């Protein structure tokens, strides 16, 4: 593995999942793999799970993580080619990235979309510029349109649950991605990415449900069944992934914020006792009810805790490729 | 030791003091005790000594510390049960804490009081929620009403001074906690906590002095002599602990800010050449005069430097209990 | 070496350069020199290269770096003697520094000038107070008037280039420091410091060029040829160091911001195919054109990458002196 920005960077997804679960069983089994290596973790936006789990993953492999909060501890970066930098950006990624490439062995970056201009966000300029100019492997800690470490974790967690409670032979798990209400417009990253990874995994009956106007970009959802009828979607589901996103077409808007779309135990009753997933942070009693989050169907803590093993598997792959 | 949030978490205070002084003499004597273990240091509020000394203490024991500035690097946490999270808080402690509990072996948290609602602050909701939901040992790096690592340091420092210059046999040291002026309303934490620990230590003649209206919560001060006459209190004192706090009864106010309450060398003249203590940061020439801080009676640097050994003794106890 | 705040702290510059280049060839050759030692990196101002390279340098020597963003993670420090601290500063350097001195083995500090009062800035009060009160070696990560780690890096990089492409025997390299336009008033630190170090190195024909009114402090530039004619200065140059600074005499102002002073390939044509240097961050197409930064003459990435080896050589010298 060279970079890690989407499922297309993964050669064998099943093997990567297996590797992650092996690290969960034995966190320090490769504790010298990254000896003398450094990873730079660059945050252009806030982060909790991603920040902590990637530091831990690196340390488990013997790497030294160095965290840099770009805007708070440094200054604003410029990403546009040929910019005349007389405004508020202080340093061009063309100048910063190659230096990072000399300071570190792996560079990991978190950057959010503006939600103002769809074309700009979906061009993934920021992370692409880092890849172009850093000259070392780049790991996405969430980008403008995708969140691959989250999605890898989700696939790992689904596999773990299926290993623990296998379905009848030959039955595919039914996985439902359902839109949920929120208080402000959020990126489509997690929903795009989850769709991309479930499709690439290819072992599920995958259904996406959301109100009208919340259609996601087809490049990620193609292959899934899409419906506006949440109740219909939830029938016999084995996993329900709950997530809010803002509109894709008329970009970055909230059209419908119907609280009826919040998942409840009543709604869950038509599922196959489905496991409920969410990437967190979650707005309790807006996106997801207390009764679900505090109940036996929620696997959000297991999911978030698996972030360490997902990151460790990815860093391990990159370190091994560099050898 | 399971958690460390007050003196009541300490089984044998004398043994803990002895342990801390042993670490001062040999910082790395237990440098493999924490190998492969991690401590998360969560700061909901600013910190200098606590932040640095706890990182150092953890490293001395071979632990990996990971610092997380919750509000700056992440987002605002919600602590109320059953909250409908449509406001400014982004993640509930019920969701964040269990994940921390999986990421780390020990969790340390700093959180300040609001000074707006006494009942809320004195319920210690924040740290109690972390303890309830993290599932791992929790260390207070100062909470709404107490600052136990500071107080342990204070007891260590007093012991160190008494070891170096013993009092006549049978004489108890006289310890005076005196209120001092300040420019803004401060928490009662340090004063509460110092009172709680000196009382629990039980080897001093303990006097608290402050202007009218600054009575502290009796649950912490019970056992001390309390007087509004600072001169009377200072007579024959062996240790004078200087600290400002805001009012407890009519909560979080400044009633009297009389500069006459600032300690001076003249005031010190009635003491038994008392050592002067302060938790720092100190507003020079407001809380304490230059002449004292720069003079031979001040032990504030010794006191602050001992923070490392206090933290190291506490982490060591917790690590040993987990074995 | 005791402290590192200017070229005057260096006993043998050539030996220090050689040491840095030896670390570049073998980063981990002294990886136990700093075992059990700690360096505190205190940032009163933003930083990217300095922050990252000094952490890496310390780790390469086996030291543990601890970063502290003073204002963001702590609070504002007071530096004036005898201050009555009833304003916005929360802690005096007299109280903070000695504690740092007990927590750490080396203290490194970044602090910018105010650009409001020349006398204050040029007194270097901040870093001098840290040296006075910390009681341990202090390393400047850029101070009000100088940036010695940058300048050492610059001398290292010039030496590296001359080693790779030696000049005819007996010919001194011509080094030109040229002022460049900018969008806001900047400190004189980098220009002062580069001048001081090139003069101390003593192996160059050194020319400084800038518009009228931008004269630098003679204590640093004495020995250089100074001209307002940029074209004349650039003739036959082997190295061109580009940097903006605000006025020194009528302090901290922008008088002339003529875009004609921006270096271009056309201007470079009269040089001896000069290498172009800049400390970064650089405002592209304001200070320096894309054509130069992206062209074969720019050595800014090499220069910035050498920051690690400069810092490592300095920390190594200090550690060896302490033994």
């Amino acid at each position: 593995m060279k970079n890690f920005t989407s499922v297309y960077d993964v050669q064998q997804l099943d093997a990567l999942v297996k590797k992650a679960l092996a690290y969960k069983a034995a966190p320090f089994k490769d504790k010298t793999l990254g000896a003398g290596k450094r990873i730079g973790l660059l945050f252009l936006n806030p982060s909790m799970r991603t920040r902590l789990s990637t530091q831990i993953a690196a340390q488990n492999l013997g790497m030294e993580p160095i965290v840099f909060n770009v805007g708070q501890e440094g200054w604003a970066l410029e990403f546009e080619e040929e910019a005349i930098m007389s405004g508020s950006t202080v340093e061009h990624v063309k100048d910063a990235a190659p230096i990072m490439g000399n300071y570190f062995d792996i560079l990991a970056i978190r950057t959010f979309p503006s939600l103002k201009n769809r074309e700009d966000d979906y061009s993934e300029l920021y992370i692409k510029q880092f890849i172009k100019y850093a000259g070392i492997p780049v790991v996405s800690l969430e980008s403008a349109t995708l969140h691959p470490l989250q999605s890898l974790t989700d696939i790992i967690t689904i596999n773990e649950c299926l290993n623990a409670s296998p379905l009848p032979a030959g039955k595919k798990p039914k996985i439902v991605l359902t839109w949920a209400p929120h208080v402000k417009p959020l990126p489509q990253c997690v929903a795009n990415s989850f769709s991309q990874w479930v499709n690439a995994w290819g072992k599920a009956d995958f259904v996406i449900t959301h109100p009208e106007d919340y259609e996601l970009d087809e490049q990620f959802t193609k292959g899934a069944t899409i419906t506006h009828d949440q109740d219909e979607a939830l029938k016999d589901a084995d996993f329900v992934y709950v997530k809010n996103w803002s509109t894709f077409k008329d970009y970055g808007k909230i059209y419908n914020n119907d609280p009826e779309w919040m998942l409840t135990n009543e709604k869950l009753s038509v599922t196959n006792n489905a496991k409920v997933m969410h990437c967190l942070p979650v707005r309790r009693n807006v996106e997801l009810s207390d009764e679900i989050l505090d109940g036996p169907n929620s696997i959000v803590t297991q999911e978030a805790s698996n972030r360490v093993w997902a990151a460790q598997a990815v860093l391990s792959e990159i370190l091994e490729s560099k050898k």
Side-chain angles (χ1 to χ4, degrees), chain A:
Chain A
M1 193 184 291
K2 168 74 176 143
N3 301 301
F4 182 74
T5 65
S6 82
V7 78
Y8 299 118
D9 292 313
V10 179
Q11 288 191 305
Q12 297 182 295
L13 179 48
D14 285 339
L16 193 62
V17 168
K18 209 171 158 187
K19 183 167 211 166
L21 290 173
Y23 281 131
K24 184 167 186 170
F28 299 113
K29 75 190 189 72
D30 286 336
K31 73 177 177 181
T32 61
L33 179 63
K37 308 277 185 190
R38 268 184 208 100
I39 181 168
L41 306 179
L42 269 60
F43 291 91
L44 285 81
N45 293 95
S47 168
M48 187 182 86
R49 269 156 292 273
T50 304
R51 175 187 297 269
L52 299 175
S53 62
T54 313
Q55 285 183 72
I56 292 170
Q59 290 175 335
N60 283 351
L61 295 167
M63 297 190 86
E64 281 170 350
I66 294 186
V67 173
F68 180 46
N69 297 307
V70 178
Q72 289 172 43
E73 300 182 323
W75 40 71
L77 293 180
E78 176 63 52
F79 290 90
E80 293 292 337
E81 297 286 341
E82 297 175 37
I84 297 169
M85 292 173 58
S86 56
S88 59
T89 56
V90 173
E91 178 154 22
H92 203 288
V93 66
K94 290 173 83 165
D95 299 312
I99 297 162
M100 301 285 180
N102 284 340
Y103 286 173
F104 298 113
D105 300 283
I106 300 177
L107 195 57
I109 297 150
R110 165 167 284 211
T111 162
F112 286 174
S114 67
L115 290 185
K116 285 174 188 161
N117 181 309
R118 187 175 72 183
E119 211 174 321
D120 282 1
D121 288 346
Y122 275 68
S123 77
E124 288 284 9
L125 178 67
Y126 283 29
I127 197 152
K128 282 187 181 160
Q129 290 284 62
F130 268 107
I131 290 172
K132 185 172 175 187
Y133 293 113
I136 55 169
V138 170
V139 172
S140 166
L141 301 172
E142 187 169 351
S143 66
T145 67
L146 294 171
H147 195 349
L149 281 172
Q150 178 64 50
S151 305
L152 171 55
T153 306
D154 297 333
I155 300 293
I156 290 166
T157 308
I158 289 169
N159 271 277
E160 207 179 20
C161 289
L162 292 172
N163 291 345
S165 306
L167 293 179
K171 185 179 179 315
K172 281 184 172 182
K174 180 175 179 184
I175 299 177
V176 178
L177 169 61
T178 179
W179 184 92
H182 204 278
V183 296
K184 60 174 194 174
L186 292 193
Q188 293 99 34
C189 305
V190 171
N192 286 343
S193 195
F194 184 72
S195 301
Q196 186 192 53
W197 283 70
V198 172
N199 280 325
W201 185 49
K203 299 183 182 172
D205 173 16
F206 184 34
V207 178
I208 303 173
T209 183
H210 53 72
E212 278 182 57
D213 304 313
Y214 285 96
E215 279 71 26
L216 293 162
D217 189 342
E218 281 187 8
Q219 68 168 304
F220 305 118
T221 59
K222 204 171 177 179
T225 303
I226 300 172
T227 170
H228 298 153
D229 184 338
Q230 192 188 35
D231 292 332
E232 180 61 32
L234 291 173
K235 266 184 205 157
D236 301 321
D238 297 295
F239 296 90
V240 182
Y241 202 97
V242 179
K243 184 76 188 84
N244 170 270
W245 60 87
S246 62
T247 55
F248 170 69
K249 282 181 189 163
D250 180 21
Y251 191 59
K253 303 283 191 304
I254 296 179
Y255 264 77
N256 170 337
N257 209 25
D258 186 352
E260 285 298 308
W261 275 82
M262 185 176 81
L263 202 66
T264 59
N265 273 343
E266 194 191 336
K267 289 195 185 194
L268 264 194
S269 65
V270 302
T271 68
N272 183 25
N273 195 24
K275 301 295 186 191
V276 178
M277 305 177 74
H278 189 287
C279 61
L280 305 183
V282 60
R283 297 271 186 155
R284 278 181 174 248
N285 303 313
V286 175
E287 286 179 87
L288 257 176
S289 57
D290 276 344
E291 63 177 8
I292 288 184
L293 283 164
D294 298 336
N297 292 70
S298 168
I299 55 170
V300 300
T301 299
Q302 177 183 349
E303 191 184 353
S305 303
N306 282 336
R307 293 291 306 273
V308 173
W309 322 116
Q312 192 166 341
V314 165
L315 297 182
S316 169
E317 284 287 299
I318 291 173
L319 287 169
E320 284 173 353
S321 299
K322 287 188 76 174
K323 276 204 281 201

